[in-house]
Amino acid sequence: MTEPQILDVITLGRASVDLYGQQIGCRLEDTASFAKAVGGCPANIAIGTARLGLRSALITRVGAEAMGGFIREQLAREGVSTQGIVTDPKRLTALVLLGVRDDHQFPLIFYRDNCADMALCADDIDPAFIASAGALVVTGTHLSTDTVRGATLKAIAAAKAAGRKVIFDIDYRPNLWGLAGHDAGESRYIASQRVTAVLQPILPDCDLIVGTEEEFRIAGGTEEVLTALAAVRARSGATLVLKRGPMGCSVYPGAIPTDLDQGVRGAGFPIEVYNVLGAGDAFMSGFLRGWLKGEALETCCTWANACGAFAVSRLLCSPEIPTWAELQFFLTHGSPQKALRKDAALNHIHWATTRRPQPEGLMALAIDHRAQFEELADRLGAPREKIEPFKRLAVAAAAQVAAGREGFGMLLDGTYGRTALFDATAQNFWIGRPVEKPGSRPLTFEIGGDLGSHLIEWPVDQVVKCLCFYHPDDPDDLKTQQEERLLALRDACRRVGREMLVEIIAGKHGVLRDDTIPRVMDRLYDLDIKPDWWKLEPQVSPAAWAKIDTTIRTRDPLCRGVVLLGLEAPEEELLAAFEVAVGSPLVRGFAVGRTIFAAAAEAWLSGQIDDAAAIADMAGRFARLTEAWENLQARKKAA
């Protein structure tokens, strides 16, 4: 009986952590900092195909340590099935150091001595799992030793027995075959009859074979490309895809012609070459998105070339592969930039469609207040040192209400909430963290100097929150100062890869009408400021929320949505505000502070209640708001 097809494609082989030098144009010896990403040809292809809408999985081994955990978690975030990943208790996850020296030199060092993925063995291959996918991708590196070759051959046999397609990415790295030293990671070709003899026996089982000119030369066992293609064709009826760098690709579904240009071609995309590493994996992802969905070869080539162009124009490997939405936008609209990484529209789509998944709703306890706590402590004669432990009590209260459920969070600062931030992280809360100087108008950042250089120290999953007191009728010079700060915030967040929450309070400095906040939002969108989140004060009517919804859907449909703030409103007023806001599909929840913690803070700082009572008071208030919001959401869904 044929196993049901659940997945589109399974890739098998290398999985590493890439550490990319962030300084461009220097030797690795002089590189000072690195960006971390999932790497390795099969892992990259699994991620790339998932981003393009295919159901993908990876078979590999990772170490029983943090780098192996990172690979598993990132693959899961990307939508890649991790069912086929084995944790190796004895070996470390492979690492790769990479850099960009210039337009032609891309040094890399492989740390793969007895690494986890090279211990993949035949026992790790489940034929039923292989049969659950429409296609299997194998790569050349996992034919280089007896152990991994045994796993690859078993997987191929299982795919053939189940009537599945077998795809071979030749993926030739000479030093991974022991043909070059550790300093030759960049080397792409060394002739070797031993390698050719290993590769050729699997060619007859393949339905699609993809490689560069150098890779087909090693597979064909000859130095002339057309002759090598003919040698591969003599052993295999597979569709052959020849990657030709800036010239795109040529596909040969049948007989090999007398001229490389006589193959099937697709549209090309002339772009600046920034970093060629990972371009082939992006190319393969694009080609498979078409080929496995039955598209014409010309279309497969076009999509592959476009995906390769994205990778060549950006720094990293798997993080730079486009999503389906991004690819379609590019194919429809093109780009005014030869360097695609400088295209603001594409960058926004890429960012918004690859950021970490979030729960649909958000209920947060906001206790990022600083000036208010200082004033309270001073008024009560309490030492300011007591503010920090109180914020830890607030995290405990929120954790009591959340009880491990998704969709809960905290707004916490680094001034008095440093240890509370550690506590909140341990609870897997959504965390927003402020950067504004409390009460500043015009907006001033609490952090001096360059904002981005400070944000790089923040955990990647902490959202940068910025409160701006902005009314559309403010004087022009004030608005200009505010906007310059918000533009600096946007640039810093995007440069270091942090989500951005912009909180707008207009009602304290002018009349709040139905169109007040939409006017503010339109102005900021005109400046190309596109927050991941908006945090907004309660609105005067459902019509105001409808205008806000329309503004967001029109100007940035990829926005995560809005959370409602409290402004120290009494609980009954806040519940009424919930009733007005709940009709908006883009209001995802709330982030309320003083309504929840004000009474407990005053009583605790003055010594009237103990820790347990403070936690209980805050938990009770937070729970009532949470229950009210959840009930409104349930009622809306039932309507």
Side-chain angles (χ1 to χ4, degrees):
M1 180 178 176
T2 303
E3 294 286 340
Q5 182 181 326
I6 300 170
L7 299 165
D8 293 303
V9 60
I10 294 173
T11 67
L12 181 152
R14 284 193 288 144
S16 62
V17 172
D18 286 351
L19 299 174
Y20 257 99
Q22 294 178 298
Q23 290 73 51
I24 307 303
C26 66
R27 307 177 307 157
L28 279 177
E29 291 91 332
D30 300 317
T31 301
S33 60
F34 295 84
K36 180 176 60 139
V38 173
C41 173
N44 291 340
I45 295 170
I47 289 173
T49 49
R51 286 186 172 186
L52 293 171
L54 296 181
R55 299 162 298 172
S56 67
L58 173 67
I59 296 176
T60 191
R61 282 196 184 200
V62 298
E65 21 73 355
M67 294 300 98
F70 165 67
I71 290 176
R72 279 184 178 276
E73 291 175 13
Q74 184 59 30
L75 288 168
R77 282 190 286 268
E78 297 280 4
V80 177
S81 169
T82 59
Q83 179 181 338
I85 299 179
V86 177
T87 298
D88 190 317
K90 297 180 180 179
R91 299 169 181 84
L92 292 171
T93 304
L95 300 178
V96 185
L97 299 184
L98 312 94
V100 178
R101 180 73 181 270
D102 55 35
D103 292 351
H104 306 287
Q105 299 180 79
F106 307 95
L108 66 159
I109 303 171
F110 291 101
Y111 288 78
R112 296 183 53 80
D113 185 21
N114 193 31
C115 67
D117 71 55
M118 288 302 289
L120 194 73
C121 66
D123 289 343
D124 297 327
I125 305 302
D126 177 4
F129 182 54
I130 297 293
S132 72
L136 169 72
V137 176
V138 297
T139 57
T141 302
H142 267 58
L143 295 167
S144 61
T145 69
D146 290 341
T147 302
V148 291
R149 185 161 58 250
T152 301
L153 294 178
K154 182 178 177 181
I156 291 174
K160 299 301 289 184
R164 306 315 192 199
K165 297 182 184 300
V166 175
I167 299 153
F168 181 36
D169 188 325
I170 302 172
D171 183 37
Y172 182 43
R173 296 285 189 179
N175 74 338
L176 299 186
W177 287 80
L179 299 176
H182 292 309
D183 63 342
E186 191 178 355
S187 173
R188 296 303 181 97
Y189 183 73
I190 295 175
S192 169
Q193 288 303 308
R194 175 176 67 86
V195 174
T196 300
V198 172
L199 299 183
Q200 287 187 344
I202 77 160
L203 301 180
D205 288 328
C206 298
D207 299 284
L208 181 71
I209 301 173
V210 181
T212 62
E213 293 185 6
E214 294 86 356
E215 288 168 340
F216 272 103
R217 283 160 59 193
I218 196 70
T222 181
E223 294 300 296
E224 203 280 318
V225 178
L226 277 171
T227 305
L229 288 166
V232 172
R233 170 60 72 232
R235 292 172 172 80
S236 176
T239 296
L240 309 184
V241 181
L242 178 66
K243 296 184 288 187
R244 303 178 67 189
M247 299 174 65
C249 66
S250 296
V251 179
Y252 310 102
I256 305 302
T258 58
D259 187 322
L260 293 178
D261 291 334
Q262 292 175 348
V264 177
R265 309 287 294 276
F269 304 94
I271 43 85
E272 173 205 62
V273 175
Y274 189 64
N275 176 22
V276 301
L277 301 175
D281 303 333
F283 174 97
M284 175 69 99
S285 299
F287 195 92
L288 291 180
R289 174 59 173 85
W291 193 70
L292 292 176
K293 292 291 188 179
E295 299 287 349
L297 288 176
E298 291 83 357
T299 299
C300 299
C301 293
T302 296
W303 292 355
N305 291 340
C307 290
F310 276 100
V312 164
S313 188
R314 295 170 173 170
L315 177 61
L316 306 177
C317 290
S318 64
E320 314 295 23
I321 298 175
T323 60
W324 182 245
E326 185 182 5
L327 176 62
Q328 292 306 299
F329 183 91
F330 176 62
L331 294 173
T332 301
H333 301 284
S335 174
Q337 300 284 350
K338 192 173 182 182
L340 298 183
R341 68 185 182 282
K342 297 180 180 179
D343 187 311
L346 285 174
N347 286 342
H348 177 64
I349 297 171
H350 185 76
W351 165 258
T353 55
T354 60
R355 59 196 168 193
R356 291 185 173 216
Q358 294 282 2
E360 183 178 341
L362 175 62
M363 294 167 287
L365 196 167
I367 194 163
D368 57 324
H369 308 68
R370 286 139 287 157
Q372 295 94 332
F373 268 105
E374 290 172 347
E375 293 168 2
L376 177 61
D378 294 348
R379 176 169 61 80
L380 297 173
R384 291 184 176 182
E385 288 76 16
K386 294 190 70 176
I387 299 173
E388 185 161 357
F390 180 78
K391 293 197 175 194
R392 298 190 71 183
L393 300 181
V395 176
Q400 190 178 108
V401 176
R405 293 177 291 164
E406 287 190 340
F408 286 83
M410 302 283 298
L411 287 178
L412 280 164
D413 60 289
T415 304
Y416 294 108
R418 180 175 176 272
T419 51
L421 281 167
F422 299 151
D423 295 342
T425 298
Q427 295 292 334
N428 291 320
F429 280 153
W430 176 96
I431 296 174
R433 188 169 167 182
V435 291
E436 78 280 353
K437 185 176 181 179
S440 59
R441 189 171 188 264
L443 171 64
T444 303
F445 296 136
E446 189 173 47
I447 301 169
D450 175 65
L451 183 60
S453 63
H454 291 277
L455 295 181
I456 199 69
E457 299 176 1
W458 291 20
V460 295
D461 55 354
Q462 289 185 0
V463 176
V464 181
K465 170 257 180 185
C466 185
L467 165 58
C468 185
F469 295 98
Y470 186 120
H471 194 282
D473 296 332
D474 284 339
D476 288 344
D477 61 339
L478 174 58
K479 288 193 289 188
T480 297
Q481 293 178 71
Q482 303 265 59
E483 290 162 3
E484 287 175 350
R485 293 287 80 198
L486 289 173
L487 284 166
L489 173 74
R490 176 205 65 185
D491 291 346
C493 289
R494 292 299 170 259
R495 188 178 305 117
V496 301
R498 301 295 187 274
E499 289 196 33
M500 174 175 64
L501 181 152
V502 173
E503 178 178 358
I504 297 294
I505 296 180
K508 287 192 174 184
H509 298 279
V511 178
L512 193 63
R513 299 185 175 89
D514 285 352
D515 67 343
T516 302
I517 296 301
R519 288 170 61 197
V520 176
M521 299 170 83
D522 268 324
R523 174 57 185 162
L524 298 185
Y525 281 133
D526 286 343
L527 295 172
D528 201 32
I529 297 171
K530 297 178 177 178
D532 300 277
W533 299 89
W534 292 96
K535 185 169 180 247
L536 302 176
E537 60 203 300
Q539 296 300 297
V540 294
S541 69
W545 284 117
K547 289 179 182 291
I548 289 169
D549 286 348
T550 299
T551 301
I552 295 175
R553 291 189 188 282
T554 303
R555 304 304 299 271
D556 181 20
L558 296 173
C559 177
R560 288 198 186 276
V562 177
V563 290
L564 189 68
L565 60 92
L567 288 177
E568 203 176 5
E571 200 170 303
E572 60 273 13
E573 288 185 19
L574 201 49
L575 294 177
F578 283 6
E579 291 274 3
V580 176
V582 75
S584 164
L586 289 179
V587 177
R588 308 299 190 194
F590 62 85
V592 172
R594 284 169 288 178
T595 306
I596 298 171
F597 72 74
E602 178 139 2
W604 186 85
L605 286 171
S606 61
Q608 298 177 35
I609 60 174
D610 62 10
D611 292 358
I615 292 171
D617 185 80
M618 288 187 283
R621 295 172 189 271
F622 189 32
R624 287 194 295 274
L625 292 180
T626 295
E627 182 180 8
W629 182 259
E630 290 178 327
N631 287 340
L632 286 170
Q633 293 294 313
R635 192 174 74 193
K636 183 171 71 172
K637 289 180 180 178

